[in-house]
Amino acid sequence: MAYEIRTYGDPVLKTPAAAVIEIDGKVARLVDDMFETLYTSDNGLGLAAPQIGVQKQIFVWEVDDEQMVIINPEIVESSGEWVYDEGCLSIPGLYVEIIRPNEVLMRGRTLDGNEIEIEAKELMGRLFQHELDHLNGVLMFDRMTPEQRKGALADYRRILEEQSAKPRRLRLR
Ligand code: ZN
């Protein structure tokens, strides 16, 4: 079942998610729902559980048509620096250049409960850092300089206004 993606302003996005204690069928179903929800988005690469209102430390992503999931992830090493025009399904339409470490080593668990370590850089490294932030109640705005944040909030307000000004549906009789 696809959920509605929570957007900026929803308190669930500011709340740290709880660790998953038992990886059971419920978690597997949740992961299925997260992929279904991800596929309703225009160009989303990844989705974290809080984005559908579930406060659990899980995020999913797709790479080379393969569905990936990580449970209770943490970044254990990071290095370098990389600038990327970052976007977020919970802040639709806004893209801001954000500097973050380039390479990361992430550790967590798979749906089978096995420990997994994944090394990533550039786009994938960015995706991991962004989704992990969601699990800590951290949004892109929190990663911006005060100057950037001011501009980005104004831009986002404008994007929302444009969206609500669009005619909903043309009715023909
Ligand atoms: Zn996001």
Side-chain angles (χ1 to χ4, degrees), residues 3-6 10 12-13 30 48-56:
Y3 285 71
E4 192 186 328
I5 297 177
R6 306 297 182 94
D10 191 318
V12 74
L13 295 173
L30 172 65
Q51 292 182 280
I52 59 166
V54 178
Q55 291 172 342
K56 289 204 166 108

Side-chain angles (χ1 to χ4, degrees), residues 12-110:
V12 74
L13 295 173
K14 300 293 279 176
T15 311
V20 176
I21 308 295
E22 203 180 333
I23 303 172
D24 53 14
K26 260 193 208 162
V27 172
R29 276 194 298 280
L30 172 65
V31 167
D32 283 342
D33 288 345
M34 287 171 69
F35 277 109
E36 268 196 57
T37 307
L38 179 62
Y39 298 145
T40 64
S41 74
D42 283 340
N43 49 8
L45 300 173
L47 189 77
Q51 292 182 280
I52 59 166
V54 178
Q55 291 172 342
K56 289 204 166 108
Q57 290 178 20
I58 303 172
F59 72 78
V60 302
W61 72 100
E62 199 178 67
V63 60
D64 301 329
D65 291 326
E66 205 183 335
Q67 293 187 337
M68 304 289 289
V69 57
I70 194 154
I71 298 163
N72 301 341
E74 53 181 334
I75 285 173
V76 289
E77 273 172 42
S78 60
S79 62
E81 220 176 65
W82 196 56
V83 182
Y84 181 68
D85 212 14
E86 208 169 306
C88 178
L89 291 176
S90 294
I91 314 172
L94 185 77
Y95 293 88
V96 178
E97 279 195 350
I98 295 174
I99 306 172
R100 294 186 192 248
N102 184 12
E103 294 176 53
V104 297
L105 176 64
M106 181 173 67
R107 187 182 295 156
R109 293 197 178 270
T110 63

Side-chain angles (χ1 to χ4, degrees), residues 155-171:
D155 287 346
Y156 186 53
R157 224 171 289 129
R158 196 158 47 237
I159 290 165
L160 288 180
E161 274 165 22
E162 277 165 18
Q163 279 170 353
S164 63
K166 264 186 209 156
R168 293 264 163 84
R169 187 172 287 170
L170 194 63
R171 281 195 190 190

